[in-house]
Amino acid sequence: MLRVVFAPALAYLSVRRSVTASSITALLALMMTLNVVWGFPWSGLMGAFCAILLGGWSINRLMRPDLGLSLSLPRSAIAGEPFPVTARLTNKRGLPAMDLRIGWHREGIREVMASTEEPVWDASPPVSAGQLRSGGQVRWQGAMRFDRRGVHALPPFQVSSAFPFYFFNDRRGIDSDAEIAITPAPIVGDDDPTARMMLSVIGDWTKQLVAGAPVEYIGNREYQEGMQVRRWDFASWARLGRPIVREYQSPSVQAITLIIDTSAIDFDGRKPQSEESEWQFERLMSVAATAVMDITARRVHLQLRVTGDQENYDLGSATGGVDTCESMLVQLAGAEPTDAATGEERLIDILENTRPQPILVLSLIDLDAPERKRLANMLPSYVNYSPLSQSESADLRRSA
């Protein structure tokens, strides 16, 4: 019933979205023939322009392409940085598809009401394809960019056909179930001195852990010229009659657990209430991403736990596996804020279910705050709790 009621409006919007400069010119010429004295040749011109418009519209709709879409893209990308995407289109109809324009774009699309939301993505320009036979394939290869952290679904891939003679343009979007994790942008330069100082402290703490690794005896071997000698094994040398050395090594890999406390004091159930709090939360994610990349680059086994992510929080309580750097950045891409009370409960639960080893906690809430009183009373000595100063970040936000 509703489709019948809104059919005229839908037809108007469909025509409005598909007209081109050629069809507008033909329509204006048709209107001119109605404002002159009736007779030959004006009646013939009016009929010709009507045939052009109606015939062009009918053929354009009859030849509209039906294309299958397959996408190839990375698992994750950094916010604000482009990543490669390849789209392959297959013509599923028995008729050829002609005069195609393909890509992620909005060329020629005129909205009735302008959108007030800021665009969160951008892509390379579209490409033209003259003809695509039945069963044939065409490829679009370019780059996309998302400006906001999160797990984003790719927008519909736009396909338009201007056959015949570019009088009308049939535009449609092909949906896909492809998603990409947009990870936080790391801290770079001196734009955020507070975060830089905090990352420097984290780096020094990691260096001390690796440098303080115990030396382990791994066996004996015969001395060869040029090799470094830590200790001669004189007893074996005397027994075997050739120089023997003992070999020691320091474990090149240490295990560290990084806990990202996503607690926000002004959390309203879905997100921080103020724009400044949201900016501070994204700043914490950027610091966490930089810490993950820096620690893993030092050949350190890192386990990441995020209190605001229920799935990864449960995983952290149940397993002790070691994640890759990319998988940890993907966790940060999907991290959501939580309230302070829930965050403290999950912090305590993670600490109680994690074996005693170096643990680093990044949070927006100071340890001496009332929301962290219970945690402060039971915090083990091997835990390094590092709050990101909100007062200094607020000053930095206002100055920016």
Side-chain angles (χ1 to χ4, degrees):
M1 183 64 180
L2 291 178
R3 294 179 62 88
V4 176
V5 173
F6 291 103
L10 294 176
Y12 164 74
L13 292 177
S14 176
V15 173
R16 185 175 183 271
R17 290 173 180 266
S18 64
V19 294
T20 64
S22 299
S23 57
I24 291 295
T25 302
L27 181 61
L28 292 176
L30 174 62
M31 296 174 63
M32 290 177 58
T33 61
L34 299 177
N35 290 281
V36 296
V37 178
W38 187 261
F40 186 81
W42 298 109
S43 59
L45 291 176
M46 183 184 69
F49 287 124
C50 287
I52 287 175
L53 292 175
L54 294 178
W57 172 268
S58 301
I59 296 175
N60 181 259
R61 290 302 181 265
L62 178 65
M63 297 293 293
R64 64 171 56 182
D66 183 13
L67 305 179
L69 174 66
S70 63
L71 298 175
S72 176
L73 69 160
R75 179 188 179 192
S76 64
I78 300 176
E81 295 189 6
F83 57 90
V85 184
T86 300
R88 292 179 176 84
L89 298 169
T90 304
N91 186 8
K92 299 189 296 184
R93 293 192 63 184
L95 299 174
M98 293 179 284
D99 296 334
L100 298 179
R101 188 81 168 159
I102 58 175
W104 275 284
H105 61 92
R106 301 185 65 81
E107 288 184 352
I109 298 180
R110 292 169 289 275
E111 300 290 350
V112 177
M113 297 183 63
S115 176
T116 58
E117 296 183 359
E118 297 182 1
V120 298
W121 63 271
D122 194 10
S124 299
V127 298
S128 299
Q131 180 176 348
L132 183 61
R133 60 180 176 81
S134 177
Q137 287 190 348
V138 65
R139 183 176 67 174
W140 180 94
Q141 190 170 10
M144 291 192 72
R145 185 191 75 238
F146 282 86
D147 297 325
R148 297 178 183 174
R149 178 190 63 87
V151 179
H152 296 276
L154 264 64
F157 190 83
Q158 299 295 326
V159 176
S160 63
S161 173
F163 183 81
F165 307 118
Y166 295 89
F167 277 110
F168 292 93
N169 216 332
D170 177 69
R171 297 183 177 89
R172 60 176 56 192
I174 304 178
D175 294 322
S176 67
D177 56 357
E179 291 184 341
I180 185 169
I182 302 301
T183 63
I187 301 294
V188 294
D190 297 327
D191 296 336
D192 195 337
T194 303
R196 269 292 163 198
M197 182 177 63
M198 182 176 183
L199 291 171
S200 177
V201 173
I202 295 174
D204 294 341
W205 176 73
T206 308
K207 288 180 181 179
Q208 292 176 4
L209 291 176
V210 176
V215 177
E216 295 180 354
Y217 169 72
I218 61 173
N220 290 358
R221 65 172 300 178
E222 185 176 351
Y223 172 77
Q224 295 179 355
E225 184 178 357
M227 69 181 300
Q228 296 182 355
V229 178
R230 291 196 176 187
R231 183 174 299 178
W232 295 100
D233 189 349
F234 294 104
S236 299
W237 189 348
R239 185 175 67 254
L240 299 175
R242 55 183 183 270
I244 302 297
V245 296
R246 294 178 180 176
E247 283 196 314
Y248 295 84
Q249 73 173 11
S250 297
S252 58
V253 177
Q254 293 288 309
I256 296 177
T257 299
L258 176 61
I259 304 176
I260 308 302
D261 178 22
T262 60
S263 302
I265 296 179
D266 60 347
F267 181 70
D268 65 354
R270 292 183 301 174
K271 63 179 183 179
Q273 295 180 357
S274 63
E275 181 181 352
E276 182 176 314
S277 298
E278 186 174 357
W279 179 81
Q280 290 174 349
F281 182 81
E282 295 302 325
R283 180 169 172 258
L284 174 64
M285 294 297 103
S286 295
V287 172
T290 310
V292 167
M293 291 186 288
D294 182 70
I295 294 175
T296 53
R298 300 178 187 275
R299 301 180 64 188
V300 174
H301 280 171
L302 183 63
Q303 299 176 11
L304 178 67
R305 302 294 172 248
V306 182
T307 60
D309 190 336
Q310 181 65 44
E311 179 181 354
N312 291 311
Y313 159 72
D314 293 339
L315 178 65
S317 300
T319 68
V322 178
D323 301 324
T324 63
C325 180
E326 184 182 21
S327 65
M328 289 184 285
L329 293 177
V330 170
Q331 290 184 34
L332 295 178
E336 297 291 341
T338 186
D339 61 275
T342 302
E344 184 180 49
E345 292 179 1
R346 293 182 176 179
L347 274 173
I348 294 175
D349 187 43
I350 292 175
L351 294 177
E352 290 178 347
N353 289 276
T354 303
R355 65 175 183 174
Q357 64 181 25
I359 296 177
L360 176 63
V361 180
L362 299 182
S363 177
L364 288 174
I365 304 177
D366 292 332
L367 190 59
D368 56 358
E371 293 82 4
R372 290 293 176 266
K373 182 177 180 180
R374 181 184 169 198
L375 177 66
N377 294 331
M378 57 81 61
L379 199 66
S381 59
Y382 53 83
V383 176
N384 186 347
Y385 189 95
S386 298
L388 193 62
S389 175
Q390 298 191 46
S391 59
E392 294 183 13
S393 63
D395 295 338
L396 180 65
R397 171 69 169 173
R398 285 190 290 269
S399 63

